[in-house]
Structure formats: structure tokens, C-alpha cells
Amino acid sequence: MQFIQGNKRNQTYFATLDDQVSADNPVRLIDAFIDKLELQKLGFTGTMHKSEGRPPYAPSVLLKLYLYGYLNKIRSSRKLEKECSRNIELGWLLQSLQPNYHTIADFRKVHAKPLQSMFRLYVHFLGDADLLGKTTIGIDGSKFKAVNSKKNNYNQKKIDKHRQFIEDKTQKYLAELDEIDKEEMASADADHLVLKKEKIAEGLAKLKERSIKYDSLQQQLNNTEDKQISTTDQDSRSIIIVKSIVEVAYNTQNAVDDKHNLIVHTQATNTNDGKALYKAAIQAKDNLQLKKEEPLMVLADKGYHTGAELKQCHDDNMTTYVAYKEQPSVKHIADEFLAESFLYDKQADTYTCPAGAVLTSLGTWHNKKGEANETSYRFKTYRTDACKTCTLKQQCTKLPKRIIQRSEYQDAVNTNDNNIKQNPHYYKRRQAICEHPFGSIKRHWGYTHTLLKGLQKVNGEMNLIMFCYNFMRTKNILGFNKMLQQIKSWSPDYTKVICAIKNALIKTIYSQNNQLNFLRLCPLLSFKTILNSPNKPSINLQHLILFTTGSFLTV
């Protein structure tokens, strides 16, 4: 029996690129989607070029290349360059064009913002295709390693440790020099001692260089508000991954719609989850094109349980189901005298203890300081003189009086905690919703790290990764033919995406500058958005003239 025989290598075949790609190949979906977009409206540069010089590659070509690469676990610009010359599907997609790796890499670096815009636009496509429930989202974060080793990340403790080592080593060298001086006085042959001195001098010179390095790092640390600095990727931070495991990484926040586990918002951050809930939730609500008065359920784990974040969500008509930490037991306090056993009377602003005594407050707000000595939140204290004669005092406190603290956000915390207690089954859906995308991206695709440096560029890459996840999942849900039909019949609305970006930019700049300087700093921004701000400045005629003298964009 003969083996299966292949074709002759010197045989000539007549076939087009289109003949070599099957009719239902996913690469055709990439081509159809990118050709549907007006890339200049999303901010991609190079859509128009000068008459002189070598023509550039069209942005659509490089964007198609990146989408194909990320969907097929190829992220390196050098590997993508190699695939262009040997991959039949890429030959069809790029029409046999073969960009240089440097051109490929630069495109990803300079288009961080347009990639974010494209992700938002695709979320709108998902909504138009009726793939989003728009009633419940799950929010979660996952860490992606940065292009910065732990060795090149420094905090005060690490700098002090290295400085102490340099000081100890210097003292050791100086002590050795003293010993050599004594030996020189007592010995006639001092040639070998000269060699020792030269080696010690070289060691001291190296220590001096290292000392200068750590002095510079100390200066950088003193000039930053953070408690750490990174030297390779300056925006990356040392973040706790699991328990005591720490990596220099970015924390990517995802908001996932519950209907088909599709991502509706993603953003890379360099902080932990504590202050990320509201920002992720409100941006997800905006991407879902929901108005402020429309309700939205938000599910998150206990890392997001922060009073200020919960209150902001409630103020924007979002019902939170954020897991809370159980109150730990205290040795000298009986379980029935824990703080949660004290009943609060909102109208009278008093607490009633289990023994029946009423605890009152003077109404003074105290500031709770955070790690960076900033005000984390305000609280009031409640106490009563009845503790002095209470027979149950030994079970309640060791202090002269039992003191209860109440945060300014306690009502929001109580509302959230009651939501969890009354609907425990509802919260359990969180893991199935949130973990699905991260599991696919990190385990199936192997994307556990970022290839770019800087928060903005990393943000662009994360939006590209999440776009590819949504794209592949859409194909799996709809099938090839239906998805292709949806793309062809879709009419993109760029104004919603562009306006969302402008509004976010305006609010960010406005919040970081005082009211009187805002118009002078940002004369090209929308006057309408400023007027809609809850803390809008008092604008007089002079400010209005200053604002309207130049051309501005209405959003």
C-alpha cells in the first residue's frame, strides 16, 4: 500500500488569493469590520498623506494585521512581520503587503486613544446587534505584568536597605585600608599591599557610583506622591497579586455585561481595586448608552467595598451588590456587643446599645487619614455616660466609655450590605460573569503581560485585547453568516464615541484645575459640558468672551 502522495513542488498552479481563503474564514469578518469604519473619525493618523516621499501604509492595513495577530496569539511586531511573508490568510487580508516590524510596532504605540475609541464603538455595535442585556454588569480587575522587573521597582524600605549595605561595605573597606597602612609600616616588602589598595580603591569607586544612583532614586521618590517608583516603566507599580505575592504590574478593570459575558468597559490602572468601582461602573453605563435615570445592577467582590464608591454609584441610580467583609470578633467584646448589634436611629442621630442605653454624638466630623495622609472619609463618634454604671461593661469595652464610629457613607454601605443579604444568589453570578473574559484571555490566549510601557499605551493595548475577545465571542454567538450580515447592515454612530471621549477629558481637566483657570487652560473645550457640571464655576461676561474668542468644539 502506498502512502498518500503530495503535489509536485515544481508544479505551477493558477489561483487567486481569494481562492485560497475559505468563504467562512474568520479573517473575512476582520476585513469587513475594518472596511466598515471611517478610521479618521476615530483618530487614526495617516489617513491622508503628502504628495512627496514614499507612500505610507494605510491605517486599515496595520489595524487588520494587529486584529489578526491578537486573535491568533501573535503580539510581537517581529513575529507579525514574519507572518506577513508566510501566512496565506494574512496574504489575503493585507493583499500581500509586508510592513516592516518597526512600522508595525510604531502603529500600536501612537494609536492608544484611537484603539480605545474603536473598542467603545464596538460596544455600540454589540448593543445594536441585541447582544447586551444592559441590566446587570459585573466588575473585576486582573493584573497584567508590566515591562518592569521587581528589581527595578523601589520604595523607601528598599532604598534604605541598599544605602545601608553601601555604608557597611564602605566602612569595611576603610577598615581594611587601616590594616594595610599598619602592615606597610611593619613590612619592608609592600608590593602586594599596593595591589590590595588598588582593588579597594576600585571597590570604593563603584560604591560611590551606586551611592549617587540611590541618591537620585531617593530624590525621585521624594518628588512623587506615591510610595514607590519604577525605573523601566515609570507608570507601573508594585501590586499585590494574591495574598503575599507581589508583582510590578497594571491592574486592568473590566465591566462585563451578564447576557453573553461581553466586555462593555476596560481600563488599565496602576492601583488596587479600592477606588475603581464608580469610575468603571459609570463608564460602562455610558458605553451601554443608558441615561442617568435608567437603573443598572453592579456586581463586584469585596475588594471594591468602599463607602465613597458605593454612594457615588447609588447617586447615579446604580444598585450595588458588592461583597462585604464580615466583622471580625474581638477577644474582650462579646458577640452580642459588636458594633453591628447597636441600632441606629437616623431621625434622632443616635445609637441604642444591646443594654438599652442611648449613645449620642456632639456632631463633630473627624477625618480618617489614608496611607498617604490624605482624608479617606469623615466620621462621627457616639458615646454615653451610662457605661460608668453598666453591669455589662466588661463584655462591651475596656475603655471608660464604649465609642461607636459612623462613617459619612454608612447609609450607602448599609444599603449595599442589605442587598447582598437579601439576594445572596444574585451576587453568586458575579464570578461566572467576570471571570469568563479573564480566563479566556490569560489562560487560553496566554496574555498575562503587556508589551508596552506607560499607562496610556498599556491602556491602548488592553482595549485592543478586550476588543479581540468581544470580536471572537460575537462570532461564536452569532455564527459567521449572521455576524457578517450584522456588520454590513450596521451604521456606526461616531458622534457618541467622540463626544464620550471629549466629555471625559473635559471633566478630568476641570476637576484637576481651579474654576477660574479652567477656561483659560482649555479654550477649545465645550461650553455646554462645563455648564452641565455639578460644580460649575460662576462665569462672568469676561470669561465668556475669553472662551468664545477661539474656535471650539460643541459636544
Side-chain angles (χ1 to χ4, degrees), residues 307-308 351 365 377-380 382 405-411 413:
Y351 275 96
W365 288 102
Y377 61 88
R378 299 184 305 160
F379 65 92
K380 290 193 291 187
Y382 298 78
Q405 295 182 355
R406 183 178 180 83
S407 163
E408 61 181 316
Y409 305 116
Q410 193 62 48
D411 289 339
V413 171

Side-chain angles (χ1 to χ4, degrees), residues 246-262:
V246 177
E247 289 288 353
V248 181
Y250 286 96
N251 186 14
T252 299
Q253 300 291 334
N254 274 3
V256 185
D257 185 82
D258 72 323
K259 185 175 182 179
H260 289 296
N261 297 338
L262 291 163

Side-chain angles (χ1 to χ4, degrees), residues 4 30 32 230 252 331 355 524 539:
I4 297 174
I30 298 174
S230 297
T252 299
K331 289 183 179 180
L524 300 180
I539 303 172

Side-chain angles (χ1 to χ4, degrees), residues 192-211:
H192 68 287
L193 297 178
V194 172
L195 293 175
K196 283 186 177 181
K197 273 190 172 183
E198 289 177 355
K199 288 184 178 180
I200 291 175
E202 290 177 2
L204 287 171
K206 290 180 179 179
L207 289 176
K208 186 175 180 180
E209 290 178 4
R210 292 179 65 183
S211 179

